[in-house]
Amino acid sequence: MVSEHSESTADEHSAMALKILVAGGFGVGKTTLVGAVSEIRPLRTEEMLSEAGQLVDDTDGVDQKVTTTVAMDFGRITIRSGLSLYLFGTPGQDRFWFLWDELSQGALGAVVLADTRRLEDCFPAVDYFEHRHIPFVVAVNCFTGARSYGAHDVCRALDLDQGTPVVLCDARDRDSGKEVLIRLVEYAGRMHTARLLDSVG
């Protein structure tokens, strides 16, 4: 006879937790996305924007932003029974990029958030993950008042590798954010499986 304790221990061992990065330019909605989907109170390392920071932080198009992430955001979401995602939101400004190498260790993949008003801001994140062969999806955060572009247009503008998914989302909406994460997990799973097959072929 199997005890309840044995069953719960088996469940814990069969549970899988995957590490996901949420990256993108300054003010694109990374903290918002992590907060919207997280089932726990998200950890945030935000500081008020200072006058000194105005010299290096381009706030054009995000004039109402008053805080910025200086280390990372952290949240957790359960996709289905036995599968949880640990979300790490990266800082967007150049001066904090030294943290990216630490955060990306052991990551399954990444979400690169994009704002069509400032599309060039996500180029560094796209380059970072492409050069390190970390699977990623581009999630276009559809801001109110921003001109809408189709996924194909964004893919062309960013010169993405063939097959890299581009999805439209609302970073404030839990269901929308969860759909982005599911797309990433599916895509990263296919990429890792293909690499494994190549390595044994």
Side-chain angles (χ1 to χ4, degrees):
M1 181 176 176
V2 180
S3 69
E4 289 184 15
H5 175 72
S6 299
E7 288 181 1
S8 64
T9 303
D11 288 342
E12 288 172 11
H13 287 306
S14 63
M16 182 183 300
L18 303 174
K19 182 179 183 181
I20 301 294
L21 300 187
V22 179
F26 176 67
V28 76
K30 300 180 294 295
T31 298
T32 300
L33 177 65
V34 173
V37 301
S38 181
E39 62 200 16
I40 61 172
R41 183 177 178 181
L43 168 69
R44 292 177 173 155
T45 56
E46 290 195 307
E47 295 292 338
M48 297 296 292
L49 289 172
S50 65
E51 289 186 22
Q54 290 176 0
L55 300 174
V56 290
D57 295 330
D58 179 10
T59 57
D60 185 37
V62 287
D63 313 75
Q64 296 180 349
K65 185 172 176 62
V66 295
T67 61
T68 184
T69 299
V70 295
M72 66 172 187
D73 299 311
F74 173 77
R76 185 190 73 208
I77 179 174
T78 301
I79 295 296
R80 57 173 170 74
S81 178
L83 176 59
S84 296
L85 304 183
Y86 289 159
L87 308 176
F88 292 81
T90 65
Q93 302 98 312
D94 301 15
R95 63 186 182 278
F96 296 124
W97 281 354
F98 66 91
L99 294 167
W100 284 37
D101 287 338
E102 288 293 327
L103 291 174
S104 64
Q105 291 294 321
L108 173 78
V111 173
V112 176
L113 271 176
D115 178 352
T116 57
R117 300 169 301 178
R118 298 154 56 100
L119 201 56
E120 67 280 359
D121 288 0
C122 69
F123 273 115
V126 168
D127 288 343
Y128 182 91
F129 296 122
E130 282 185 345
H131 289 147
R132 286 160 181 78
H133 305 291
I134 297 174
F136 67 94
V137 301
V138 173
V140 179
N141 193 6
C142 299
F143 286 91
T144 303
R147 184 177 169 188
S148 60
Y149 292 89
H152 180 69
D153 295 326
V154 173
C155 184
R156 257 192 352 196
L158 294 176
D159 192 26
L160 298 175
D161 289 342
Q162 186 176 5
T164 302
V166 176
V167 294
L168 307 182
C169 75
D170 181 344
R172 302 166 299 180
D173 182 76
R174 177 180 171 82
D175 289 338
S176 181
K178 187 174 180 180
E179 191 59 38
V180 170
L181 295 172
I182 290 171
R183 285 287 300 276
L184 170 62
V185 170
E186 292 172 348
Y187 175 64
R190 292 195 301 271
M191 292 292 289
H192 285 294
T193 299
R195 289 172 188 168
L196 183 62
L197 292 174
D198 285 345
S199 68
V200 298

